mmCIF file of all heavy atoms in Angstrom:
data_model
loop_
_atom_site.group_PDB
_atom_site.id
_atom_site.type_symbol
_atom_site.label_atom_id
_atom_site.label_comp_id
_atom_site.label_asym_id
_atom_site.label_seq_id
_atom_site.Cartn_x
_atom_site.Cartn_y
_atom_site.Cartn_z
ATOM 1 N N GLY A 48 29.098 8.735 -73.910
ATOM 2 C CA GLY A 48 28.352 8.535 -75.139
ATOM 3 C C GLY A 48 26.942 8.067 -74.844
ATOM 4 O O GLY A 48 26.028 8.306 -75.642
ATOM 5 N N GLY A 49 26.718 7.401 -73.730
ATOM 6 C CA GLY A 49 25.370 7.035 -73.357
ATOM 7 C C GLY A 49 24.504 8.230 -73.079
ATOM 8 O O GLY A 49 23.283 8.228 -73.356
ATOM 9 N N GLN A 50 25.115 9.296 -72.520
ATOM 10 C CA GLN A 50 24.398 10.569 -72.312
ATOM 11 C C GLN A 50 23.961 11.146 -73.665
ATOM 12 O O GLN A 50 22.850 11.647 -73.827
ATOM 13 C CB GLN A 50 25.317 11.551 -71.577
ATOM 14 C CG GLN A 50 24.784 12.960 -71.426
ATOM 15 C CD GLN A 50 23.936 13.110 -70.186
ATOM 16 O OE1 GLN A 50 23.270 12.190 -69.752
ATOM 17 N NE2 GLN A 50 23.944 14.317 -69.614
ATOM 18 N N ILE A 51 24.843 11.054 -74.677
ATOM 19 C CA ILE A 51 24.542 11.607 -75.974
ATOM 20 C C ILE A 51 23.387 10.879 -76.626
ATOM 21 O O ILE A 51 22.439 11.484 -77.121
ATOM 22 C CB ILE A 51 25.798 11.575 -76.882
ATOM 23 C CG1 ILE A 51 26.959 12.340 -76.235
ATOM 24 C CG2 ILE A 51 25.471 12.198 -78.267
ATOM 25 C CD1 ILE A 51 28.266 12.230 -76.976
ATOM 26 N N ILE A 52 23.430 9.561 -76.644
ATOM 27 C CA ILE A 52 22.369 8.832 -77.346
ATOM 28 C C ILE A 52 21.041 8.944 -76.580
ATOM 29 O O ILE A 52 19.976 8.954 -77.187
ATOM 30 C CB ILE A 52 22.764 7.352 -77.602
ATOM 31 C CG1 ILE A 52 22.874 6.517 -76.348
ATOM 32 C CG2 ILE A 52 24.047 7.280 -78.398
ATOM 33 C CD1 ILE A 52 23.126 5.023 -76.576
ATOM 34 N N THR A 53 21.110 9.020 -75.272
ATOM 35 C CA THR A 53 19.901 9.192 -74.475
ATOM 36 C C THR A 53 19.223 10.535 -74.777
ATOM 37 O O THR A 53 17.997 10.663 -74.796
ATOM 38 C CB THR A 53 20.191 9.068 -72.996
ATOM 39 O OG1 THR A 53 20.806 7.804 -72.703
ATOM 40 C CG2 THR A 53 18.944 9.200 -72.112
ATOM 41 N N ALA A 54 20.067 11.561 -75.020
ATOM 42 C CA ALA A 54 19.550 12.915 -75.254
ATOM 43 C C ALA A 54 18.959 13.106 -76.644
ATOM 44 O O ALA A 54 18.514 14.208 -76.966
ATOM 45 C CB ALA A 54 20.642 13.933 -75.003
ATOM 46 N N LEU A 55 18.912 12.044 -77.454
ATOM 47 C CA LEU A 55 18.153 12.122 -78.710
ATOM 48 C C LEU A 55 16.666 12.337 -78.406
ATOM 49 O O LEU A 55 15.894 12.755 -79.268
ATOM 50 C CB LEU A 55 18.331 10.862 -79.524
ATOM 51 C CG LEU A 55 19.678 10.699 -80.222
ATOM 52 C CD1 LEU A 55 19.804 9.293 -80.819
ATOM 53 C CD2 LEU A 55 19.837 11.741 -81.333
ATOM 54 N N ASN A 56 16.280 12.030 -77.174
ATOM 55 C CA ASN A 56 14.867 12.218 -76.732
ATOM 56 C C ASN A 56 13.934 11.423 -77.628
ATOM 57 O O ASN A 56 14.205 10.284 -77.995
ATOM 58 C CB ASN A 56 14.537 13.704 -76.659
ATOM 59 C CG ASN A 56 15.503 14.517 -75.801
ATOM 60 O OD1 ASN A 56 15.936 15.576 -76.194
ATOM 61 N ND2 ASN A 56 15.848 14.011 -74.638
ATOM 62 N N GLU A 57 12.830 12.041 -77.987
ATOM 63 C CA GLU A 57 11.789 11.341 -78.768
ATOM 64 C C GLU A 57 11.964 11.582 -80.267
ATOM 65 O O GLU A 57 11.199 11.027 -81.064
ATOM 66 C CB GLU A 57 10.396 11.822 -78.330
ATOM 67 C CG GLU A 57 10.093 11.500 -76.875
ATOM 68 C CD GLU A 57 8.795 12.143 -76.392
ATOM 69 O OE1 GLU A 57 8.780 13.387 -76.212
ATOM 70 O OE2 GLU A 57 7.814 11.413 -76.189
ATOM 71 N N ASP A 58 12.922 12.375 -80.657
ATOM 72 C CA ASP A 58 13.113 12.724 -82.065
ATOM 73 C C ASP A 58 14.317 12.001 -82.618
ATOM 74 O O ASP A 58 15.430 12.531 -82.708
ATOM 75 C CB ASP A 58 13.321 14.233 -82.187
ATOM 76 C CG ASP A 58 13.487 14.667 -83.648
ATOM 77 O OD1 ASP A 58 13.076 13.896 -84.532
ATOM 78 O OD2 ASP A 58 14.048 15.756 -83.879
ATOM 79 N N ALA A 59 14.134 10.732 -82.925
ATOM 80 C CA ALA A 59 15.207 9.898 -83.465
ATOM 81 C C ALA A 59 14.598 8.977 -84.518
ATOM 82 O O ALA A 59 14.529 7.759 -84.352
ATOM 83 C CB ALA A 59 15.901 9.102 -82.387
ATOM 84 N N PRO A 60 14.092 9.533 -85.634
ATOM 85 C CA PRO A 60 13.255 8.774 -86.584
ATOM 86 C C PRO A 60 13.907 7.565 -87.230
ATOM 87 O O PRO A 60 13.216 6.622 -87.550
ATOM 88 C CB PRO A 60 12.885 9.809 -87.619
ATOM 89 C CG PRO A 60 13.905 10.885 -87.499
ATOM 90 C CD PRO A 60 14.276 10.912 -86.088
ATOM 91 N N ASN A 61 15.225 7.566 -87.441
ATOM 92 C CA ASN A 61 15.800 6.397 -88.084
ATOM 93 C C ASN A 61 16.639 5.532 -87.121
ATOM 94 O O ASN A 61 17.406 4.670 -87.550
ATOM 95 C CB ASN A 61 16.700 6.812 -89.265
ATOM 96 C CG ASN A 61 17.792 7.766 -88.885
ATOM 97 O OD1 ASN A 61 17.659 8.519 -87.915
ATOM 98 N ND2 ASN A 61 18.891 7.775 -89.625
ATOM 99 N N VAL A 62 16.473 5.747 -85.807
ATOM 100 C CA VAL A 62 17.167 4.947 -84.814
ATOM 101 C C VAL A 62 16.267 3.758 -84.431
ATOM 102 O O VAL A 62 15.127 3.964 -84.002
ATOM 103 C CB VAL A 62 17.515 5.783 -83.583
ATOM 104 C CG1 VAL A 62 18.160 4.865 -82.510
ATOM 105 C CG2 VAL A 62 18.472 6.912 -83.952
ATOM 106 N N ALA A 63 16.784 2.542 -84.596
ATOM 107 C CA ALA A 63 16.001 1.350 -84.343
ATOM 108 C C ALA A 63 16.218 0.799 -82.921
ATOM 109 O O ALA A 63 15.377 0.158 -82.355
ATOM 110 C CB ALA A 63 16.350 0.258 -85.358
ATOM 111 N N ALA A 64 17.415 1.058 -82.377
ATOM 112 C CA ALA A 64 17.753 0.529 -81.050
ATOM 113 C C ALA A 64 18.926 1.281 -80.477
ATOM 114 O O ALA A 64 19.710 1.959 -81.193
ATOM 115 C CB ALA A 64 18.113 -0.974 -81.150
ATOM 116 N N LEU A 65 19.023 1.235 -79.136
ATOM 117 C CA LEU A 65 20.114 1.839 -78.408
ATOM 118 C C LEU A 65 20.928 0.749 -77.722
ATOM 119 O O LEU A 65 20.376 -0.162 -77.140
ATOM 120 C CB LEU A 65 19.568 2.785 -77.365
ATOM 121 C CG LEU A 65 18.612 3.885 -77.819
ATOM 122 C CD1 LEU A 65 18.028 4.611 -76.588
ATOM 123 C CD2 LEU A 65 19.310 4.871 -78.750
ATOM 124 N N VAL A 66 22.248 0.858 -77.810
ATOM 125 C CA VAL A 66 23.141 -0.076 -77.117
ATOM 126 C C VAL A 66 24.082 0.722 -76.219
ATOM 127 O O VAL A 66 24.798 1.622 -76.689
ATOM 128 C CB VAL A 66 23.950 -0.942 -78.123
ATOM 129 C CG1 VAL A 66 24.910 -1.862 -77.348
ATOM 130 C CG2 VAL A 66 23.045 -1.727 -79.027
ATOM 131 N N TYR A 67 24.058 0.408 -74.944
ATOM 132 C CA TYR A 67 24.880 1.098 -73.954
ATOM 133 C C TYR A 67 26.036 0.206 -73.520
ATOM 134 O O TYR A 67 25.821 -0.944 -73.099
ATOM 135 C CB TYR A 67 24.061 1.449 -72.726
ATOM 136 C CG TYR A 67 22.985 2.483 -72.953
ATOM 137 C CD1 TYR A 67 21.756 2.156 -73.550
ATOM 138 C CD2 TYR A 67 23.198 3.825 -72.611
ATOM 139 C CE1 TYR A 67 20.786 3.091 -73.757
ATOM 140 C CE2 TYR A 67 22.226 4.777 -72.806
ATOM 141 C CZ TYR A 67 21.012 4.416 -73.401
ATOM 142 O OH TYR A 67 20.024 5.358 -73.605
ATOM 143 N N ILE A 68 27.270 0.687 -73.667
ATOM 144 C CA ILE A 68 28.456 -0.054 -73.264
ATOM 145 C C ILE A 68 29.068 0.649 -72.052
ATOM 146 O O ILE A 68 29.709 1.693 -72.198
ATOM 147 C CB ILE A 68 29.461 -0.118 -74.412
ATOM 148 C CG1 ILE A 68 28.814 -0.661 -75.709
ATOM 149 C CG2 ILE A 68 30.658 -1.013 -74.007
ATOM 150 C CD1 ILE A 68 28.236 -2.049 -75.588
ATOM 151 N N ALA A 69 28.823 0.118 -70.847
ATOM 152 C CA ALA A 69 29.332 0.750 -69.634
ATOM 153 C C ALA A 69 29.103 2.248 -69.652
ATOM 154 O O ALA A 69 30.029 3.046 -69.501
ATOM 155 C CB ALA A 69 30.832 0.434 -69.433
ATOM 156 N N ALA A 70 27.844 2.604 -69.873
ATOM 157 C CA ALA A 70 27.518 3.999 -70.208
ATOM 158 C C ALA A 70 26.441 4.601 -69.266
ATOM 159 O O ALA A 70 25.723 3.888 -68.634
ATOM 160 C CB ALA A 70 26.982 4.070 -71.640
ATOM 161 N N PHE A 71 26.467 5.924 -69.240
ATOM 162 C CA PHE A 71 25.391 6.643 -68.514
ATOM 163 C C PHE A 71 24.073 6.493 -69.232
ATOM 164 O O PHE A 71 24.007 6.751 -70.447
ATOM 165 C CB PHE A 71 25.758 8.128 -68.381
ATOM 166 C CG PHE A 71 26.878 8.400 -67.410
ATOM 167 C CD1 PHE A 71 28.152 8.664 -67.869
ATOM 168 C CD2 PHE A 71 26.650 8.370 -66.042
ATOM 169 C CE1 PHE A 71 29.210 8.938 -66.994
ATOM 170 C CE2 PHE A 71 27.682 8.636 -65.144
ATOM 171 C CZ PHE A 71 28.959 8.919 -65.642
ATOM 172 N N GLY A 72 23.048 6.119 -68.490
ATOM 173 C CA GLY A 72 21.684 6.033 -69.044
ATOM 174 C C GLY A 72 20.762 6.809 -68.142
ATOM 175 O O GLY A 72 19.980 6.220 -67.392
ATOM 176 N N LEU A 73 20.840 8.120 -68.216
ATOM 177 C CA LEU A 73 20.108 8.974 -67.294
ATOM 178 C C LEU A 73 18.619 9.011 -67.577
ATOM 179 O O LEU A 73 18.160 8.729 -68.681
ATOM 180 C CB LEU A 73 20.649 10.387 -67.329
ATOM 181 C CG LEU A 73 22.146 10.577 -67.028
ATOM 182 C CD1 LEU A 73 22.460 12.069 -66.898
ATOM 183 C CD2 LEU A 73 22.544 9.814 -65.779
ATOM 184 N N ASP A 74 17.873 9.388 -66.579
ATOM 185 C CA ASP A 74 16.416 9.581 -66.698
ATOM 186 C C ASP A 74 16.133 11.092 -66.700
ATOM 187 O O ASP A 74 17.042 11.894 -66.406
ATOM 188 C CB ASP A 74 15.682 8.914 -65.530
ATOM 189 C CG ASP A 74 14.245 8.580 -65.875
ATOM 190 O OD1 ASP A 74 13.738 9.112 -66.911
ATOM 191 O OD2 ASP A 74 13.603 7.854 -65.097
ATOM 192 N N GLU A 75 14.920 11.458 -66.995
ATOM 193 C CA GLU A 75 14.533 12.826 -67.095
ATOM 194 C C GLU A 75 14.815 13.594 -65.790
ATOM 195 O O GLU A 75 14.520 13.104 -64.708
ATOM 196 C CB GLU A 75 13.050 12.966 -67.440
ATOM 197 C CG GLU A 75 12.570 14.356 -67.740
ATOM 198 C CD GLU A 75 11.136 14.400 -68.299
ATOM 199 O OE1 GLU A 75 10.489 13.320 -68.331
ATOM 200 O OE2 GLU A 75 10.676 15.488 -68.676
ATOM 201 N N GLY A 76 15.429 14.780 -65.921
ATOM 202 C CA GLY A 76 15.736 15.598 -64.778
ATOM 203 C C GLY A 76 17.087 15.305 -64.100
ATOM 204 O O GLY A 76 17.499 16.024 -63.184
ATOM 205 N N GLU A 77 17.793 14.289 -64.552
ATOM 206 C CA GLU A 77 19.090 13.927 -63.967
ATOM 207 C C GLU A 77 20.253 14.568 -64.721
ATOM 208 O O GLU A 77 20.119 14.896 -65.912
ATOM 209 C CB GLU A 77 19.268 12.389 -63.934
ATOM 210 C CG GLU A 77 18.285 11.664 -63.052
ATOM 211 C CD GLU A 77 18.471 10.166 -63.032
ATOM 212 O OE1 GLU A 77 19.139 9.645 -63.964
ATOM 213 O OE2 GLU A 77 17.997 9.513 -62.139
ATOM 214 N N SER A 78 21.379 14.685 -64.049
ATOM 215 C CA SER A 78 22.601 15.120 -64.691
ATOM 216 C C SER A 78 23.756 14.231 -64.225
ATOM 217 O O SER A 78 23.694 13.649 -63.121
ATOM 218 C CB SER A 78 22.933 16.582 -64.330
ATOM 219 O OG SER A 78 23.293 16.707 -62.950
ATOM 220 N N ILE A 79 24.791 14.136 -65.047
ATOM 221 C CA ILE A 79 25.946 13.361 -64.654
ATOM 222 C C ILE A 79 26.602 13.921 -63.401
ATOM 223 O O ILE A 79 26.959 13.185 -62.484
ATOM 224 C CB ILE A 79 26.961 13.281 -65.801
ATOM 225 C CG1 ILE A 79 26.412 12.484 -66.981
ATOM 226 C CG2 ILE A 79 28.288 12.666 -65.340
ATOM 227 C CD1 ILE A 79 27.300 12.424 -68.208
ATOM 228 N N GLY A 80 26.697 15.224 -63.339
ATOM 229 C CA GLY A 80 27.348 15.835 -62.198
ATOM 230 C C GLY A 80 26.673 15.506 -60.867
ATOM 231 O O GLY A 80 27.330 15.168 -59.908
ATOM 232 N N ALA A 81 25.347 15.540 -60.878
ATOM 233 C CA ALA A 81 24.620 15.207 -59.633
ATOM 234 C C ALA A 81 24.824 13.769 -59.216
ATOM 235 O O ALA A 81 24.973 13.466 -58.048
ATOM 236 C CB ALA A 81 23.133 15.518 -59.810
ATOM 237 N N LEU A 82 24.856 12.876 -60.215
ATOM 238 C CA LEU A 82 25.100 11.472 -59.888
ATOM 239 C C LEU A 82 26.498 11.231 -59.366
ATOM 240 O O LEU A 82 26.710 10.517 -58.388
ATOM 241 C CB LEU A 82 24.881 10.599 -61.139
ATOM 242 C CG LEU A 82 23.430 10.452 -61.637
ATOM 243 C CD1 LEU A 82 23.413 9.587 -62.863
ATOM 244 C CD2 LEU A 82 22.582 9.812 -60.519
ATOM 245 N N VAL A 83 27.507 11.873 -59.999
ATOM 246 C CA VAL A 83 28.879 11.678 -59.590
ATOM 247 C C VAL A 83 29.097 12.227 -58.173
ATOM 248 O O VAL A 83 29.814 11.643 -57.357
ATOM 249 C CB VAL A 83 29.836 12.391 -60.584
ATOM 250 C CG1 VAL A 83 31.259 12.443 -60.046
ATOM 251 C CG2 VAL A 83 29.804 11.664 -61.942
ATOM 252 N N GLU A 84 28.445 13.359 -57.892
ATOM 253 C CA GLU A 84 28.619 13.987 -56.587
ATOM 254 C C GLU A 84 27.824 13.328 -55.462
ATOM 255 O O GLU A 84 28.033 13.662 -54.285
ATOM 256 C CB GLU A 84 28.230 15.472 -56.678
ATOM 257 C CG GLU A 84 29.176 16.319 -57.539
ATOM 258 C CD GLU A 84 28.632 17.703 -57.817
ATOM 259 O OE1 GLU A 84 27.541 18.041 -57.305
ATOM 260 O OE2 GLU A 84 29.281 18.431 -58.557
#
Side-chain angles (χ1 to χ4, degrees):
Q50 173 87 330
I51 302 173
I52 68 175
T53 302
L55 286 170
N56 306 134
E57 298 172 288
D58 181 21
N61 59 332
V62 176
L65 305 172
V66 178
Y67 293 80
I68 308 299
F71 288 102
L73 302 190
D74 203 349
E75 187 171 6
E77 294 180 343
S78 69
I79 291 177
L82 288 179
V83 170
E84 292 170 2

